[in-house]
Amino acid sequence: MQWTVKGPALIALGASVALALTACAGGGAPSASTSASGASSAAPVAMTFWHNSTTGDGKKYWEDTVAAFQKEHPNVTITIQAIQNEDMDGKLQTALASSDGPTIFMARGGGKLADVVAADQVMDITDKISPETKAAYGDAIFSGFTVDGKIYGMPTSVLPGGIYYSKDLFKEAGITGTPTTFDELNAAVTKLKAKNIAPIALGGKDAWPAAHWYYFFALRDCAKATLDKAAADKDFSDPCWLKAGEDLKAFSTTDPFNKGYLTTSAQQGAGSSAGMLANHKAAMELMGAWDPGVIASLTPSGKPLQDLGWFPFPAVSGGAGDPTAMMGGSDGFACLKSAPAECVDFLNFMATKASQEGYAKAFQTLPASKDAKGVVTDPALQDVLASYDKAAYVALWLDTMYGQNVGNALNGGVVNMLAGKGQPADIVAGVKSAAAKG
């Protein structure tokens, strides 16, 4: 399994969804009577499509994209089901296990995708990706969706993580510049609390946002070779895994998070962690590159947060990881193994330049296609790109990389520790136990 996800020059925000769909309909996609494989497909075809965009521009984008594809392929009917992000993995796992999985479904890459491949539930699309898509995407972006040399998913975005922050709240607290070390982050937390500003919003109710703090401490504390070894043989014996938990516990004792963070959701409503940043109720949030779009949907105006900034996860004292390393992932989609050829046609359709530009604007994020480059206008995303280009390596989210069993153990162990129900050693013990079970 390849796990480092870093490609040349990331991608930018582009044309509107309407323009994207008009351009998609104009050319490049397979015709209604011909699939990507060249086989005739005049007979009626019905497919189901699961995605995680339940509201706003993202939901509309997928509705419009499906409508545009169906216009090009009048024999195809796609039934959409939008599922809340936090529910997606569990529902998808259950559906696939019951042989009632959707035709087109989200693929997050890494160990999670490898589990689906091992269960023989997903289609190998290596030879079905169109030449145009391959040229636009390049090889590197597919690495996170590659298992044993074969490609099983089509990326739609590149999502490195880091800390988003309110420039206005930093200014109010007298913080100049962004923290590059944990000493500096601790100093910023102190200044924010002195102004009665919640320093960091955390959606601990959903588990994975809390676990992200452990992931990034591990990124800083563990050498790349250690992360590679754990990916290859699920070996978590290196002391850095314990140090990551100890560093997080020490940081949590400074009370940096919003009150009630263990019962705060991540992305649902103004009271979520993203909503707190969107409404200036907290100054920072650790999150992936989808965050600007989520935050924009939760501002009072429903528009992007004008003072939103971003900085990389700070350096950790005594860490063996490269201080420029980043962590993230790439959302994408896959086809059920038994899916018709039109499923891959749809994946190639969503990968066209115009569709990717529309995706970037609808989700206010970074698309996967190099051809969708354009100009990155969001200042926070510009900062993400600058750090991404300088990163020594980019690791996948740990719960994605190491598979759902290990990921669940990580997420649960971190939340238990933050809730005072466990210790750093318990996180490591739980992960080792989950890894031993496969």
Side-chain angles (χ1 to χ4, degrees):
M1 166 70 70
Q2 302 178 33
W3 72 279
T4 299
V5 181
K6 184 175 183 187
L10 266 184
I11 326 301
L13 303 177
S16 68
V17 174
L19 175 59
L21 297 175
T22 301
C24 283
S31 70
S33 61
T34 306
S35 73
S37 62
S40 176
S41 304
V45 173
M47 298 190 291
T48 52
F49 173 35
W50 285 15
H51 65 74
N52 66 344
S53 304
T54 58
T55 61
D57 292 343
K59 186 172 186 284
K60 186 177 187 302
Y61 169 81
W62 285 123
E63 291 169 351
D64 291 347
T65 299
V66 165
F69 180 79
Q70 289 178 154
K71 185 176 181 180
E72 283 286 303
H73 301 74
N75 63 311
V76 176
T77 300
I78 300 176
T79 301
I80 303 172
Q81 184 170 353
I83 297 173
Q84 179 62 36
N85 179 69
E86 285 70 26
D87 298 331
M88 176 63 79
D89 286 353
K91 288 188 175 183
L92 181 59
Q93 186 179 42
T94 299
L96 292 174
S98 65
S99 301
D100 191 31
T103 316
I104 310 157
F105 56 89
M106 282 199 73
R108 302 184 194 271
K112 288 184 178 180
L113 180 60
D115 291 343
V116 180
V117 172
D120 202 28
Q121 296 165 332
V122 62
M123 181 185 292
D124 172 7
I125 64 170
T126 309
D127 298 326
K128 299 178 176 66
I129 302 170
S130 72
E132 294 81 6
T133 299
K134 289 180 179 178
Y137 273 48
D139 294 332
I141 188 63
F142 287 106
S143 64
F145 297 88
T146 298
V147 179
D148 296 331
K150 296 180 179 179
I151 300 171
Y152 291 91
M154 181 70 73
T156 52
S157 57
V158 183
L159 304 167
I163 298 178
Y164 289 87
Y165 74 101
S166 163
K167 295 178 181 178
D168 289 349
L169 293 183
F170 266 39
K171 183 178 180 181
E172 182 179 337
I175 302 168
T176 57
T178 54
T180 60
T181 67
F182 257 82
D183 285 343
E184 293 176 358
L185 182 60
N186 282 322
V189 166
T190 298
K191 288 183 177 181
L192 288 161
K193 288 197 290 187
K195 291 290 186 178
N196 294 316
I197 299 168
I200 300 171
L202 177 57
K205 179 181 178 181
D206 294 320
W208 58 267
H212 277 187
W213 280 90
Y214 177 87
Y215 299 175
F216 275 87
F217 273 114
L219 180 71
R220 293 288 179 258
D221 283 325
C222 298
K224 182 178 182 295
T226 302
L227 300 177
D228 287 339
K229 183 173 176 58
D233 56 23
K234 301 298 188 292
D235 180 358
F236 296 94
S237 61
D238 192 285
C240 70
W241 298 108
L242 179 60
K243 183 178 184 301
E246 292 172 341
D247 286 344
L248 174 55
K249 184 178 181 181
F251 181 60
S252 70
T253 61
T254 68
D255 196 24
F257 305 124
N258 58 287
K259 292 181 180 179
Y261 69 89
L262 289 172
T263 56
T264 300
S265 66
Q267 302 175 120
Q268 302 172 51
S272 66
S273 57
M276 292 184 71
L277 187 53
N279 292 278
H280 288 153
K281 300 299 184 183
M284 293 178 273
E285 184 185 29
L286 174 64
M287 197 56 66
W290 59 84
D291 212 26
V294 176
I295 290 170
S297 72
L298 298 173
T299 62
S301 66
K303 296 180 179 179
L305 187 65
Q306 292 302 304
D307 67 312
L308 186 66
W310 179 93
F311 60 90
F313 195 80
V316 173
S317 178
D322 191 296
T324 69
M326 296 181 73
M327 180 173 287
S330 180
D331 276 352
F333 290 86
C335 292
L336 195 67
K337 185 168 185 181
S338 60
E342 286 78 5
C343 183
V344 183
D345 292 344
F346 183 67
L347 298 188
N348 282 313
F349 186 84
M350 70 170 67
T352 60
K353 178 178 182 287
S355 185
Q356 277 277 283
E357 289 174 339
Y359 182 95
K361 182 166 185 178
F363 290 93
Q364 296 184 48
T365 191
L366 304 171
S369 171
K370 292 185 294 182
D371 283 358
K373 199 172 182 179
V375 177
V376 177
T377 58
D378 185 283
L381 290 177
Q382 288 179 331
D383 289 340
V384 174
L385 287 174
S387 290
Y388 185 91
D389 287 341
K390 298 175 183 176
Y393 48 90
V394 181
L396 279 175
W397 306 114
L398 299 189
D399 57 344
T400 299
M401 186 56 242
Y402 299 140
Q404 193 147 334
N405 288 339
V406 170
N408 288 343
L410 273 171
N411 296 355
V414 171
V415 170
N416 283 341
M417 183 189 74
L418 292 175
K421 298 177 181 179
Q423 297 297 324
D426 296 324
I427 298 174
V428 179
V431 167
K432 288 180 177 178
S433 177
K437 293 175 182 177

